[in-house]
Short mmCIF file of all heavy atoms in Angstrom, two decimals:
data_model
loop_
_atom_site.label_atom_id
_atom_site.label_comp_id
_atom_site.label_asym_id
_atom_site.label_seq_id
_atom_site.Cartn_x
_atom_site.Cartn_y
_atom_site.Cartn_z
N ASP A 11 -72.37 -132.17 63.52
CA ASP A 11 -72.09 -130.74 63.58
C ASP A 11 -70.55 -130.47 64.02
O ASP A 11 -69.90 -131.24 64.40
CB ASP A 11 -73.19 -129.97 64.38
CG ASP A 11 -72.90 -130.12 65.87
OD1 ASP A 11 -72.05 -130.68 66.35
OD2 ASP A 11 -73.63 -129.17 66.60
N THR A 13 -69.30 -128.34 66.39
CA THR A 13 -68.87 -128.40 67.78
C THR A 13 -68.74 -129.77 68.32
O THR A 13 -67.94 -130.17 69.17
CB THR A 13 -69.96 -127.52 68.57
OG1 THR A 13 -71.22 -128.02 68.24
CG2 THR A 13 -69.84 -126.14 68.48
N GLY A 14 -69.68 -130.66 67.85
CA GLY A 14 -69.68 -131.97 68.10
C GLY A 14 -68.43 -132.68 67.62
O GLY A 14 -67.83 -133.61 68.37
N ASP A 17 -65.65 -131.64 69.99
CA ASP A 17 -65.88 -132.43 71.33
C ASP A 17 -65.21 -133.78 71.12
O ASP A 17 -64.50 -134.20 71.91
CB ASP A 17 -67.29 -132.35 71.53
CG ASP A 17 -67.68 -133.41 72.60
OD1 ASP A 17 -66.74 -133.89 73.30
OD2 ASP A 17 -68.80 -133.57 72.72
N ARG A 55 -77.19 -131.83 61.08
CA ARG A 55 -78.05 -132.16 62.19
C ARG A 55 -79.48 -131.78 61.88
O ARG A 55 -80.42 -132.37 62.28
CB ARG A 55 -77.67 -131.60 63.61
CG ARG A 55 -78.35 -132.08 64.70
CD ARG A 55 -77.77 -131.53 66.05
NE ARG A 55 -76.51 -132.21 66.33
CZ ARG A 55 -75.66 -131.87 67.42
NH1 ARG A 55 -76.02 -130.95 68.16
NH2 ARG A 55 -74.47 -132.40 67.50
N LYS A 84 -70.83 -139.35 64.87
CA LYS A 84 -70.90 -138.72 66.14
C LYS A 84 -72.18 -137.83 66.09
O LYS A 84 -72.40 -136.82 65.32
CB LYS A 84 -69.68 -137.69 66.19
CG LYS A 84 -69.65 -136.67 67.18
CD LYS A 84 -69.80 -137.08 68.64
CE LYS A 84 -69.86 -135.82 69.66
NZ LYS A 84 -71.21 -135.02 69.45
N ILE A 85 -73.09 -138.18 67.07
CA ILE A 85 -74.29 -137.40 67.27
C ILE A 85 -74.13 -136.60 68.62
O ILE A 85 -73.23 -136.81 69.32
CB ILE A 85 -75.48 -138.35 67.31
CG1 ILE A 85 -75.27 -139.38 68.46
CG2 ILE A 85 -75.62 -139.01 65.99
CD1 ILE A 85 -76.56 -140.06 68.78
N CYS A 86 -75.16 -135.85 68.98
CA CYS A 86 -75.15 -135.07 70.03
C CYS A 86 -75.40 -135.93 71.30
O CYS A 86 -76.22 -136.85 71.22
CB CYS A 86 -76.21 -133.95 70.02
SG CYS A 86 -76.05 -132.77 71.31
N SER A 87 -74.72 -135.65 72.48
CA SER A 87 -75.04 -136.40 73.73
C SER A 87 -76.39 -136.08 74.29
O SER A 87 -76.78 -136.79 75.24
CB SER A 87 -73.87 -135.92 74.70
OG SER A 87 -74.09 -134.55 75.08
N THR A 88 -77.05 -135.06 73.74
CA THR A 88 -78.42 -135.01 74.20
C THR A 88 -79.43 -135.43 72.98
O THR A 88 -80.64 -135.03 73.03
CB THR A 88 -78.81 -133.63 74.51
OG1 THR A 88 -78.26 -132.54 73.56
CG2 THR A 88 -78.04 -133.34 75.84
N ASP A 90 -79.84 -134.61 69.93
CA ASP A 90 -80.60 -133.62 69.33
C ASP A 90 -81.02 -134.09 67.83
O ASP A 90 -80.19 -134.45 67.08
CB ASP A 90 -79.76 -132.47 69.15
CG ASP A 90 -79.41 -131.68 70.47
OD1 ASP A 90 -79.64 -132.30 71.47
OD2 ASP A 90 -79.06 -130.49 70.42
N ARG A 124 -74.10 -136.91 80.88
CA ARG A 124 -75.29 -137.57 79.96
C ARG A 124 -75.16 -139.18 80.17
O ARG A 124 -73.96 -139.74 79.95
CB ARG A 124 -74.90 -137.29 78.54
CG ARG A 124 -75.35 -136.03 78.01
CD ARG A 124 -74.90 -134.80 78.63
NE ARG A 124 -74.98 -133.69 77.70
CZ ARG A 124 -74.89 -132.43 78.00
NH1 ARG A 124 -74.60 -132.19 79.48
NH2 ARG A 124 -74.92 -131.57 77.19
N ALA A 224 -72.00 -140.49 70.97
CA ALA A 224 -71.37 -139.02 71.33
C ALA A 224 -69.91 -139.30 71.86
O ALA A 224 -69.28 -140.52 71.60
CB ALA A 224 -72.20 -138.34 72.40
N GLY A 364 -72.37 -122.33 70.13
CA GLY A 364 -73.56 -122.84 69.37
C GLY A 364 -73.13 -123.78 68.31
O GLY A 364 -72.09 -123.46 67.54
N GLY A 365 -73.70 -124.94 68.10
CA GLY A 365 -73.36 -125.93 67.16
C GLY A 365 -73.64 -125.34 65.72
O GLY A 365 -72.75 -125.28 64.82
N SER A 409 -70.10 -126.14 72.20
CA SER A 409 -71.48 -126.72 72.18
C SER A 409 -72.23 -125.81 73.23
O SER A 409 -71.84 -125.59 74.18
CB SER A 409 -71.39 -128.24 72.64
OG SER A 409 -70.84 -128.88 71.71
N GLY A 410 -73.50 -125.61 72.83
CA GLY A 410 -74.44 -124.66 73.63
C GLY A 410 -74.41 -125.08 75.10
O GLY A 410 -74.17 -124.20 75.98
N ASN A 411 -74.61 -126.40 75.38
CA ASN A 411 -74.49 -126.65 76.82
C ASN A 411 -73.37 -126.83 77.55
O ASN A 411 -73.34 -127.25 78.76
CB ASN A 411 -75.49 -127.97 76.99
CG ASN A 411 -76.96 -127.79 76.46
OD1 ASN A 411 -77.65 -126.96 77.09
ND2 ASN A 411 -77.22 -128.29 75.38
N PHE A 412 -72.18 -126.66 76.87
CA PHE A 412 -70.96 -127.05 77.67
C PHE A 412 -70.36 -125.91 78.19
O PHE A 412 -70.51 -124.72 77.84
CB PHE A 412 -69.93 -127.59 76.56
CG PHE A 412 -70.28 -129.14 76.19
CD1 PHE A 412 -69.50 -129.75 75.04
CD2 PHE A 412 -71.23 -129.78 76.82
CE1 PHE A 412 -69.91 -131.08 74.88
CE2 PHE A 412 -71.58 -131.07 76.56
CZ PHE A 412 -70.78 -131.84 75.45
O1 LIG B 502 -72.27 -134.33 72.13
C1 LIG B 502 -72.44 -133.23 72.49
O2 LIG B 502 -73.25 -132.87 73.49
C2 LIG B 502 -71.83 -132.18 71.71
O3 LIG B 502 -70.65 -132.57 71.14
C3 LIG B 502 -72.82 -131.56 70.71
O4 LIG B 502 -72.87 -132.12 69.69
C4 LIG B 502 -73.66 -130.60 71.20
O5 LIG B 502 -74.37 -129.96 70.18
P1 LIG B 502 -74.51 -128.34 70.11
O6 LIG B 502 -74.97 -127.88 71.49
O7 LIG B 502 -75.65 -128.01 69.09
O8 LIG B 502 -73.27 -127.65 69.89
#
Side-chain angles (χ1 to χ4, degrees):
D11 80 348
T13 46
D17 164 20
R55 189 172 291 173
K84 162 67 179 68
I85 57 162
C86 188
S87 65
T88 47
D90 291 19
R124 276 64 156 163
S409 291
N411 292 295
F412 285 174

